[in-house]
Amino acid sequence: MLTRLFSETSLIPEVQKFASWPDDCDDDDDESDKDESSEKSLQEVHTEGSLSESKDDGDIIGEDEEEEEEEEGTEEAEGERPKKRGPKKRKMTKARMERSKVRRQKANARERNRMHDLNSALDNLRKVVPCYSKTQKLSKIETLRLAKNYIWALSEILRSGKRPDLVSYVQTLCKGLSQPTTNLVAGCLQLNSRNFLTEQGQEAGRYHGPNSSFAVHPYTYQCSRISGSQCQSSTMANAHPLRSHGYCATYESLYGNTSPDYNSSEYDAPLSPPLCINGNFSVKQDTSPDQDKNYYSMHYSALPSSRPSGHSLLFGSSGMRSGVHSENLLPYDMHVHHDRAPMYEELNAFFHN
DNA sequence: TAGGCCATCTGGTCCT
DNA sequence: AGGACCAGATGGCCTA
């Protein structure tokens, strides 16, 4: 199917080209069955007496002789039915059915185009949300959920001016997502999903000691290689009493949200969209002197959920490690978009000033 | 095979 | 009147 093939290709120009395709461009390959189905539906509508009062019937003005003859022919067949009030029904003549069919086909083409535009927009959204992958596309609903979480997370970062810890960040992103998507996001962030999923579900209420992998201090981001097990932090400087309540409590301690239900109206409340920088976020770090220019950017990589998390969470003063092209470090087909690189620098420059 | 996801068709409603 | 938008229905494809 063309649409499916199209969605596999993630190039924006192609998307835009597709979005502006004329109505009949993609009709050729499947027009036959569509016509068949639509014609069938139309005939069903127009032959069943109870449904014959359709909009299509009422807006045809012109009549030709052929139709007049056909009307007379069909009048007898409907004579047994009880008369109804209102304007006299227009009989479905051959010409009217033809016009109705054409109108319906035009409407179908418009609807297809509309849905293609919608899907194009969704594809664009997939690209700016974390964990963009050409091969492992997020579903529509998951894309929207992830985008919502992403906006939320970035909003909170901007609002608080603090860096969240990695685990909380991932937790935020994964709120309400399905298990496969959660695994994917965790994989993208090189974080073992068990680190927070178990906290969320099975281990709520358990206190997590200083060596718990659950607590990832922001400073551990300085390491160039990170994984769920490797990045266990011995620092609990950011430990919060609410941590003892597990996953949700951690999120609350960071974001001050007391409602674990992120489908609630509170979570769905409108937020001012923050800066969107394509799966990367940079936050000013206002701690030690030698970190005065340290902002971190996260370069996500799309890993199949089954693939063990490995490496390549990169942090640097400019968002890019000097001398290292992030594209080379990104496994599979996950790449930082070139056209957004200036945006990172721009954003970092903004924080530097 | 059931369930999820998707594209498409379709009729209704609202708006211009 | 025609187009945009919407939601329900339907069937295909894919995966666990």
Side-chain angles (χ1 to χ4, degrees):
Chain A
M1 188 173 292
L2 272 182
T3 309
R4 191 155 291 184
L5 283 175
F6 157 74
S7 59
E8 300 273 338
T9 65
S10 59
L11 299 176
I12 292 178
E14 293 187 13
V15 169
Q16 291 170 339
K17 187 178 88 178
F18 187 91
S20 60
W21 274 359
D23 294 349
D24 54 349
C25 270
D26 57 339
D27 287 347
D28 295 338
D29 54 345
D30 54 357
E31 192 64 52
S32 56
D33 57 327
K34 282 175 194 168
D35 281 349
E36 191 178 305
S37 63
S38 63
E39 192 166 352
K40 180 186 168 191
S41 301
L42 281 169
Q43 285 173 349
E44 283 175 358
V45 166
H46 295 307
T47 51
E48 290 176 13
S50 59
L51 296 176
S52 60
E53 188 71 31
S54 69
K55 183 182 174 182
D56 290 338
D57 295 342
D59 55 5
I60 304 296
I61 299 174
E63 298 284 0
D64 52 24
E65 292 181 3
E66 181 189 21
E67 293 180 16
E68 295 291 345
E69 290 174 6
E70 291 187 7
E71 275 190 33
E72 288 178 4
T74 56
E75 194 133 353
E76 292 178 2
E78 296 182 356
E80 299 174 359
R81 274 191 222 130
K83 290 185 178 180
K84 290 182 181 178
R85 293 182 179 180
K88 188 180 177 182
K89 255 188 327 189
R90 298 265 185 173
K91 308 295 182 307
M92 276 313 293
T93 64
K94 197 174 179 180
R96 190 177 297 140
M97 279 181 63
E98 198 61 35
R99 280 194 291 268
S100 178
K101 199 171 89 175
V102 169
R103 194 165 47 240
R104 191 61 254 175
Q105 285 174 347
K106 282 174 65 180
N108 290 345
R110 282 195 306 271
E111 179 67 9
R112 271 199 306 275
N113 253 11
R114 199 179 67 85
M115 296 310 295
H116 290 167
D117 289 345
L118 196 61
N119 289 337
S120 296
L122 213 48
D123 272 340
N124 289 337
L125 184 61
R126 284 189 183 100
K127 292 172 188 171
V128 299
V129 105
C131 291
Y132 169 66
S133 170
K134 289 179 189 173
T135 55
Q136 197 167 356
K137 268 177 58 177
L138 291 178
S139 70
K140 293 179 177 181
I141 185 69
E142 295 290 87
T143 300
L144 292 175
R145 284 173 179 153
L146 181 57
K148 183 188 76 171
N149 293 345
Y150 187 41
I151 292 171
W152 174 270
L154 293 180
S155 297
E156 287 303 312
I157 290 170
L158 289 180
R159 185 185 61 78
S160 65
K162 295 177 184 176
R163 297 178 304 172
D165 63 80
L166 177 59
V167 178
S168 295
Y169 179 69
V170 177
Q171 288 168 353
T172 306
L173 290 182
C174 294
K175 267 297 178 183
L177 300 183
S178 67
Q179 181 65 55
T181 308
T182 299
N183 290 339
L184 180 65
V185 173
C188 286
L189 297 172
Q190 304 299 314
L191 186 70
N192 189 336
S193 62
R194 280 175 298 183
N195 284 358
F196 59 93
L197 287 178
T198 54
E199 298 288 341
Q200 179 181 17
Q202 302 163 3
E203 298 180 27
R206 200 192 88 190
Y207 173 74
H208 304 282
N211 291 327
S212 168
S213 63
F214 186 67
V216 179
H217 192 278
Y219 295 161
T220 63
Y221 292 172
Q222 299 297 333
C223 66
S224 60
R225 286 173 157 246
I226 190 170
S227 71
S229 59
Q230 287 172 326
C231 273
Q232 293 181 1
S233 171
S234 61
T235 63
M236 281 294 286
N238 62 339
H240 189 284
L242 288 174
R243 273 193 198 285
S244 61
H245 296 295
Y247 163 76
C248 293
T250 300
Y251 182 87
E252 290 160 11
S253 69
L254 179 63
Y255 297 113
N257 189 332
T258 56
S259 170
D261 178 15
Y262 291 92
N263 290 322
S264 68
S265 57
E266 181 181 0
Y267 187 59
D268 287 333
L271 293 167
S272 300
L275 294 170
C276 182
I277 49 177
N278 178 33
N280 296 348
F281 64 91
S282 301
V283 179
K284 183 171 185 175
Q285 188 173 353
D286 52 355
T287 50
S288 63
D290 57 347
Q291 289 169 336
D292 60 344
K293 289 188 176 181
N294 279 350
Y295 315 115
Y296 60 81
S297 290
M298 301 179 68
H299 302 271
Y300 304 119
S301 58
L303 287 172
S305 55
S306 60
R307 184 182 177 87
S309 59
H311 56 275
S312 80
L313 254 188
L314 307 177
F315 304 98
S317 60
S318 66
M320 298 278 197
R321 297 186 76 190
S322 59
V324 177
H325 296 287
S326 60
E327 286 88 342
N328 297 334
L329 294 172
L330 296 175
Y332 297 96
D333 56 345
M334 177 65 187
H335 297 288
V336 173
H337 299 285
H338 292 278
D339 56 344
R340 297 200 185 95
M343 207 168 12
Y344 310 148
E345 296 175 5
E346 193 174 326
L347 187 66
N348 285 327
F350 170 78
F351 283 120
H352 276 290
N353 294 330

